[in-house]
Amino acid sequence: MAEQQEGFIEVGDEGFSDEGADLESNQSFLTSLSSSIVKGVEENGRTYATYGKEEYGLPMDEQEMDRIDMSHAKYYILLEKKAFPRTDSLRSATDFRFRVWNGTAPNCTFEIDDIEQIWTWKRESFDFIFARDLLLSIRDWPKLVNQCFTHLKPGGYVEFQSIFGELCCDDDSLPADSNFRQFDKYVRVASDKMGTPLTAPASYKDWFEAAGFVDVVEKKLKIPCNPWAKDPRLKMVGAFELDNFLYGLEAMSLRMFERGLGWSAEETRVFVAGVRKDIRNSRFHSYYPFYIVYGRKPDAGTFTPAG
């Protein structure tokens, strides 16, 4: 589990700015692997996931899959039964998008499923359920948490990790009228209108406790938006996040701004170009909070199983 992070992040050398800081400068962090992609829906030159009549806000084309590889398989949910070397019951299910990595353990199988639908796995069959960065994908968080509770064994754990979608800057170095600040405002309005609010992680703890989980722990970290931090580890985290933004910003924004704000694709692309410049600028010490919340299902005899 990650350590609680408090206070200011010390600023490093400001040698990474919007001038000359292109995407290639971050390519050493990106490892591109082979992929298997489920057919989705085409919009504005990008491919998005679709299931039945539901269409989700995140792209699932090859460009996005490479970005996910780099960023530690964000948006995946891991359902683990027994994390032992000889077991054959370690499985992973993802919300539409699917990637098998080189070196995947032979006792690990991958399944494609919609985790917002009724789960078909056996009740009380998992020891550990883990989800990371499911923002823009879930419209009914309490339902998802309740299904986690139902399918965990007594004594099992659930852990959710996610970016909290509200931009922060502790030293006011990011101007109030900057494109990045405007993006932060627009993206939250659009996501709310789409029914997928970016501030959902702040409610994870309450939803866990309401579902019946005990010993619930909430931790908050800070993720720099580019390598502006002095600390070497946070500088690398910022490099990952910068690559994440530069690759995924347009695809994420196109759908949200079109459906949530009524913008045209051209309007979005012009605006996003200015946002990218702000994200690259290490003189802007911006970051996003990151929530880690985990809890335990009570032992047998101390709870009533969720319906």
Side-chain angles (χ1 to χ4, degrees):
M1 305 295 182
E3 296 294 329
Q4 187 81 4
Q5 182 177 325
E6 298 179 352
F8 288 92
I9 300 175
E10 190 173 359
V11 178
D13 294 333
E14 296 185 346
F16 191 88
S17 71
D18 57 326
E19 296 299 327
D22 56 22
L23 183 59
E24 284 71 24
S25 64
N26 244 26
Q27 285 300 301
S28 61
F29 295 98
L30 179 62
T31 301
S32 179
L33 302 176
S34 61
S35 67
S36 174
I37 304 174
V38 178
K39 184 179 180 181
V41 59
E42 296 286 340
E43 289 185 14
N44 299 310
R46 298 300 299 269
T47 303
Y48 294 82
T50 183
Y51 183 85
K53 295 181 179 179
E54 291 292 337
E55 296 179 356
Y56 291 77
L58 293 167
M60 52 161 284
D61 48 24
E62 183 65 24
Q63 181 176 340
E64 180 69 3
M65 299 303 285
D66 288 340
R67 183 178 71 86
I68 291 171
D69 283 340
M70 182 281 302
S71 58
H72 306 291
K74 293 176 76 171
Y75 317 115
Y76 279 72
I77 181 167
L78 178 68
L79 305 172
E80 183 176 358
K81 293 178 72 175
K82 292 179 181 292
F84 300 106
R86 296 188 184 89
T87 184
D88 61 359
S89 55
L90 176 64
R91 73 173 71 170
S92 172
T94 175
D95 195 28
F96 309 128
R97 296 177 298 179
F98 181 64
R99 164 88 75 179
V100 177
W101 293 268
N102 293 338
T104 298
N107 61 344
C108 182
T109 59
F110 292 84
E111 302 175 9
I112 301 172
D113 207 348
D114 178 1
I115 58 173
E116 287 206 294
Q117 302 300 314
I118 299 299
W119 291 9
T120 57
W121 297 292
K122 183 180 177 182
R123 291 189 175 200
E124 298 188 358
S125 59
F126 298 113
D127 294 309
F128 180 54
I129 298 177
F130 174 80
R132 180 165 55 201
D133 277 354
L134 294 176
L135 291 180
L136 299 178
S137 297
I138 305 300
R139 289 171 171 77
D140 190 342
W141 286 98
K143 176 184 175 182
L144 176 61
V145 173
N146 285 330
Q147 293 210 88
C148 290
F149 188 93
T150 298
H151 289 80
L152 274 173
K153 294 178 182 179
Y157 277 82
V158 62
E159 179 174 340
F160 283 11
Q161 298 183 4
S162 184
I163 287 279
F164 177 81
E166 186 170 332
L167 188 64
C168 297
C169 181
D170 291 339
D171 62 3
D172 296 324
S173 59
L174 182 64
D177 60 352
S178 65
N179 287 310
F180 202 7
R181 285 287 193 191
Q182 294 302 305
F183 171 81
D184 175 58
K185 178 181 69 177
Y186 293 148
V187 77
R188 282 187 281 120
V189 171
S191 64
D192 287 347
K193 289 185 177 180
M194 292 176 64
T196 56
L198 297 178
T199 54
S203 299
Y204 285 170
K205 185 174 187 291
D206 291 340
W207 290 330
F208 278 24
E209 292 174 341
F213 289 104
V214 298
D215 302 329
V216 178
V217 174
E218 177 188 87
K219 297 184 178 182
K220 288 184 283 186
L221 309 178
K222 296 178 179 180
I223 297 186
C225 296
N226 67 49
W228 59 262
K230 182 177 181 179
D231 178 81
R233 180 175 178 274
L234 289 177
K235 183 178 289 292
M236 178 169 286
V237 169
F240 277 111
E241 194 64 9
L242 174 63
D243 198 280
N244 225 9
F245 265 124
L246 297 183
Y247 264 111
L249 184 65
E250 181 178 293
M252 176 182 69
S253 303
L254 282 170
R255 173 168 281 198
M256 275 199 297
F257 289 1
E258 178 182 24
R259 299 190 177 191
L261 303 177
W263 288 23
S264 68
E266 184 59 29
E267 286 175 315
T268 300
R269 289 190 172 104
V270 170
F271 175 68
V272 164
V275 178
R276 283 199 183 98
K277 289 192 65 176
D278 286 352
I279 295 172
R280 287 171 167 147
N281 195 334
S282 67
R283 290 188 290 271
F284 299 158
H285 307 145
S286 55
Y287 68 90
Y288 280 101
F290 189 84
Y291 277 72
I292 299 173
V293 182
Y294 56 91
R296 179 175 60 85
K297 182 173 180 174
D299 296 329
T302 63
F303 69 97
T304 301

